[in-house]
Amino acid sequence: MYYDLLHSPVGRLLLVGNHQGLKMLIFQDGKHPQEIDSQWKKNRQPLQDIIAQLEAYFEGGLTTFSVKLSPDGTDFQQKVWKALRRIPYGKTVSYGEIARQIGNPNASRAVGAANGQNPISIIVPCHRVIGANGKLVGYGGGLPIKQSLLELEEQTRSSR
């Protein structure tokens, strides 16, 4: 595994990957920073394409990521994370909508838990999931970052 830290408009982001793809993209300045494993090697080179795409995203020039992903998770989590990637840029959906999309309409809470365990923030856009009442709820990076990402996407979408 290799890793690097990216300084972004929403704080330091830890990127962790291997030959299979990106394993983690974690907010390091939030409540739950990821400890850097002593087995990981600091190496920006294999992450360069991901870093370039993230920089383009933050500049408003990228709306769809084309990054090879390899997150670890249960079958249910993988289903939820796949559904998250289908949420259009600049749009939001509720946990209930995701539950319906994955064929389990009574699983809103489980979807919320899987959303909270998403190891690849931003690229797997868990920030686009909101409460049924339309309010921002829970986000690993904190609600101000969630709001900031949604505002970036709205501004970019409306300027096109």
Side-chain angles (χ1 to χ4, degrees):
M1 299 270 265
Y2 39 83
Y3 78 95
D4 199 20
L5 286 168
L6 173 66
H7 294 275
S8 79
V10 292
R12 292 177 311 133
L13 302 174
L14 173 67
L15 297 109
V16 180
N18 62 18
H19 66 283
Q20 294 174 317
L22 186 66
K23 304 289 274 176
M24 290 183 232
L25 192 164
I26 306 289
F27 294 101
Q28 288 299 94
D29 299 330
K31 295 177 187 171
H32 308 287
Q34 174 70 43
E35 250 185 72
I36 295 173
D37 190 303
S38 62
Q39 302 292 312
W40 299 348
K41 302 226 183 295
K42 186 169 171 63
N43 187 353
R44 180 168 267 232
Q45 183 55 40
L47 299 164
Q48 203 57 50
D49 182 48
I50 296 164
I51 291 168
Q53 288 188 46
L54 284 165
E55 289 171 343
Y57 168 83
F58 286 118
E59 291 167 3
L62 182 97
T63 60
T64 304
F65 290 96
S66 60
V67 174
K68 192 174 173 188
L69 304 178
S70 183
D72 294 324
T74 67
D75 288 344
F76 182 81
Q77 288 171 329
Q78 296 286 350
K79 240 188 220 187
V80 170
W81 300 337
K82 189 175 183 180
L84 296 177
R85 293 203 66 201
R86 290 192 297 264
I87 303 170
Y89 181 90
K91 300 286 186 181
T92 57
V93 300
S94 70
Y95 295 104
E97 289 174 73
I98 295 290
R100 284 187 291 284
Q101 286 176 19
I102 64 169
N104 201 339
N106 297 319
S108 296
R109 293 183 95 162
V111 164
N115 198 50
Q117 294 297 310
N118 173 20
I120 304 178
S121 295
I122 302 170
I123 295 173
V124 177
C126 51
H127 61 278
R128 296 179 189 154
V129 183
I130 58 174
N133 61 2
K135 302 228 186 233
L136 297 187
V137 291
Y139 191 62
L143 290 181
I145 289 176
K146 183 173 190 163
Q147 182 69 44
S148 174
L149 293 171
L150 291 172
E151 287 173 0
L152 166 72
E153 292 182 8
E154 179 56 34
Q155 288 168 1
T156 301
R157 210 169 56 86
S158 62
S159 68
R160 290 186 172 216

